[in-house]
Amino acid sequence: MELSLLRPTTQSLLPSFSKPNLRLNVYKPLKLRCSVAGGPIVGSSKISGGGGTTVTADCVIVGGGISGLCIAQALATKHPNATPNLIVTEAKDRVGGNIITREENGFLWEEGPNSFQPSDPMLTMVVDSGLKDDLVLGDPTAPRFVLWDGKLRPVPSKLTDLPFFDLMSIGGKIRAGFGALGIRPSPPGREESVEEFVRRNLGDEVFERLIEPFCSGVYAGDPSKLSMKAAFGKVWKLEQNGGSIIGGTFKAIQERKNAPKAERDPRLPKPKGQTVGSFRKGLRMLPEAISARLGSKVKLSWKLSGITKLDSGGYNLTYETPDGVVSVQSKSVVMTVPSHVASGLLRPLSESAANALSKLYYPPVAAVSVSYPEEAIRTECLIDGELKGFGQLHPRTQGVETLGTIYSSSLFPNRAPPGRILLLNYIGGSTNTGILSKSEGELVEAVDRDLRKMLIKPNSADPLKLGVRVWPQAIPQFLVGHFDILDTAKSSLTSSGYEGLFLGGNYVAGVALGRCVEGAYETATEVNNFMSRYAYKSM
């Protein structure tokens, strides 16, 4: 479990449509507006009689959030011949989507996602972006805490901790052990929610004291509605493959032993233990580094207003840009915008695909960054005289509104001035959509009120407010039936003849930043395979 409570999504594009005059009769070079990292480029273009501009591309990636940028870099590094003429379009004037890092008066804080798990695909993206020396990793031995009965209790980090941690009773531990071994009710033969799966396999205490706050931490979601198969597929597969969680674990270990070992990229750093990562100047360094490498391929302030299928194959995308209307004719398209934005853009192509995508739900979440003096931390929360750890999660039954708190200044270096503690708090989610009606001051008051119940001394001075960022549609919920919705959307596009039009982003790959990166490599492979078939058909 990681305490990064928000995960990145791509930036919304303008969901409106127009049908510009596409009569093309004049050829001449045009200088196109591009990203800050790259200067103007000169490319072959057509100017229509109505003053519009047309350019061509092998692939257009719609959305300059972390998913879109990583797909572009994956194509450039893993499949360099597939899409040499690549464009990434972003509606805003910056890249990164929901990744927002701010720095002021000695503080460095995040207002979206906070960190990532340093998997090999993630580390590959980091190294290929030139950020290996800027990578920072949290202490793998740092504890994580869950609030229970008014006390912050450590979560077990290794097997030897299980008999001794006080978050669960002896009876709850025994029930979890027997259930993990397979001594529990059989699966119901239908898709289970997270709550149903965990209560059946591991018992009530594991659900109420570990998994329910974990769902708040990852999805800001309601575990009675989240799909176990879609939201936590790796654990779900253990029971499917091995008859029980323990049986599936042993089987997976054996399969890994028998499988041929792929040589690990020697360029990649080797993290020690289970930890999380960021960068010296925050998460923003990753999208900015990728954008700089892509250079003029990234187009900022390009708002997509419509997409149509060309009779000759491929797609025409119409953009409103600072330099006027631009039409891009592309062999392939990857949509990495949020599902509700993709729904509006794709509706003229496929009503059923649009209807499916419109069903996905994104609850609101606020990221509230505050600072206290070191002496404000309760003595019982200090370890060796310091606040140590990743952070804390709060079950909904414990009488606090805040979902969880990250100890930002303890987790990564140079996040706060000497003598200050920086805390990133998340509030809202599926079970608390009322945050949208609260002011910034009210959100800070709610967070401060909660923290004084377990972490901050009650008589401490008011916190220093650094940043409050409210995301009205923050994290896609992988509810029961999520995969069916995705399958319907994808199959509707394919059956309607829209090959080469791909869906990507966190509602497809997963909400964690690391899953967005892993999904980017998967999508890049799909695009490469399509372009190989496209080239063959064109011969």
Side-chain angles (χ1 to χ4, degrees), residues 186-395:
S186 300
R190 56 172 173 77
E191 186 175 0
E192 289 181 284
S193 69
V194 171
E195 180 175 2
E196 290 171 326
F197 180 94
V198 175
R199 287 191 187 275
R200 178 175 61 81
N201 274 280
L202 300 172
D204 295 340
E205 286 194 22
V206 170
F207 171 74
E208 294 164 0
R209 306 183 190 193
L210 285 170
I211 304 304
E212 188 271 333
F214 180 48
C215 288
S216 295
V218 175
Y219 286 92
D222 182 348
S224 69
K225 298 177 180 179
L226 288 171
S227 163
M228 188 69 195
K229 178 181 179 180
F232 303 105
K234 289 183 179 179
V235 178
W236 177 83
K237 286 178 182 177
L238 294 177
E239 184 186 35
Q240 294 293 307
N241 296 338
S244 68
I245 292 176
I246 294 295
T249 300
F250 283 133
K251 186 173 181 179
I253 292 172
Q254 192 61 44
E255 288 175 350
R256 280 198 297 269
K257 280 184 179 180
N258 296 335
K261 286 190 176 181
E263 185 177 348
R264 190 172 187 266
D265 188 338
R267 302 176 303 155
L268 304 186
K270 297 180 179 179
K272 297 178 181 178
Q274 293 293 318
T275 187
V276 294
S278 182
F279 302 101
R280 180 177 50 83
K281 287 294 184 179
L283 291 180
R284 69 183 179 194
M285 292 189 74
L286 182 59
E288 289 176 357
I290 296 174
S291 179
R293 287 179 174 260
L294 293 172
S296 60
K297 296 179 185 294
V298 178
K299 312 298 182 186
L300 300 179
S301 300
W302 278 37
K303 297 179 175 67
L304 180 61
S305 58
I307 177 171
T308 57
K309 183 74 181 290
L310 296 170
D311 292 338
S312 57
Y315 299 89
N316 185 86
L317 296 90
T318 303
Y319 287 93
E320 299 169 13
T321 82
D323 297 318
V325 175
V326 174
S327 294
V328 182
Q329 296 186 356
S330 181
K331 299 172 184 175
S332 61
V333 177
V334 183
M335 303 287 288
T336 69
V337 293
S339 60
H340 49 90
V341 178
S343 172
L345 291 167
L346 295 177
R347 189 166 297 279
L349 301 183
S350 171
E351 189 82 16
S352 58
N355 289 340
L357 293 175
S358 69
K359 294 177 181 178
L360 300 182
Y361 171 55
Y362 294 64
V365 175
V368 181
S369 293
V370 295
S371 173
Y372 296 89
E374 288 180 344
E375 57 267 23
I377 304 298
R378 294 189 182 202
T379 304
E380 64 269 25
C381 297
L382 300 177
I383 300 175
D384 299 327
E386 300 178 21
L387 179 65
K388 295 183 179 180
F390 282 75
Q392 59 193 54
L393 290 172
H394 310 144

Side-chain angles (χ1 to χ4, degrees), residues 458-503:
N459 59 349
S460 296
D462 290 343
L464 173 64
K465 181 187 81 171
L466 295 172
V468 177
R469 176 78 60 170
V470 178
W471 301 98
Q473 293 175 292
I475 306 171
Q477 299 296 288
F478 283 39
L479 305 180
V480 171
H482 182 82
F483 284 151
D484 293 335
I485 291 173
L486 282 183
D487 289 344
T488 297
K490 291 179 179 180
S491 62
S492 296
L493 291 172
T494 302
S495 62
S496 299
Y498 298 113
E499 289 187 313
L501 177 55
F502 301 92
L503 301 178

Side-chain angles (χ1 to χ4, degrees), residues 137-160:
L137 299 173
D139 179 1
T141 66
R144 300 161 171 84
F145 300 93
V146 169
L147 176 67
W148 193 259
D149 284 342
K151 179 182 176 182
L152 292 173
R153 304 172 189 271
V155 174
S157 59
K158 52 186 182 297
L159 286 175
T160 54

Side-chain angles (χ1 to χ4, degrees), residues 172-188:
K173 295 174 187 177
I174 293 173
R175 166 64 179 88
F178 279 123
L181 289 168
I183 305 173
R184 64 358 176 190
S186 300

Side-chain angles (χ1 to χ4, degrees), residues 16 27 29 61 75 81 104 130 140 161 165 176 205 211 222 226 308 315 381 398 400 415 447 516:
S16 61
Y27 289 77
I61 298 172
L75 283 167
N81 297 322
E104 188 176 310
D161 293 339
F165 78 105
E205 286 194 22
I211 304 304
D222 182 348
L226 288 171
T308 57
Y315 299 89
C381 297
Q398 297 306 292
V400 295
R415 265 26 182 192
V447 166
C516 289

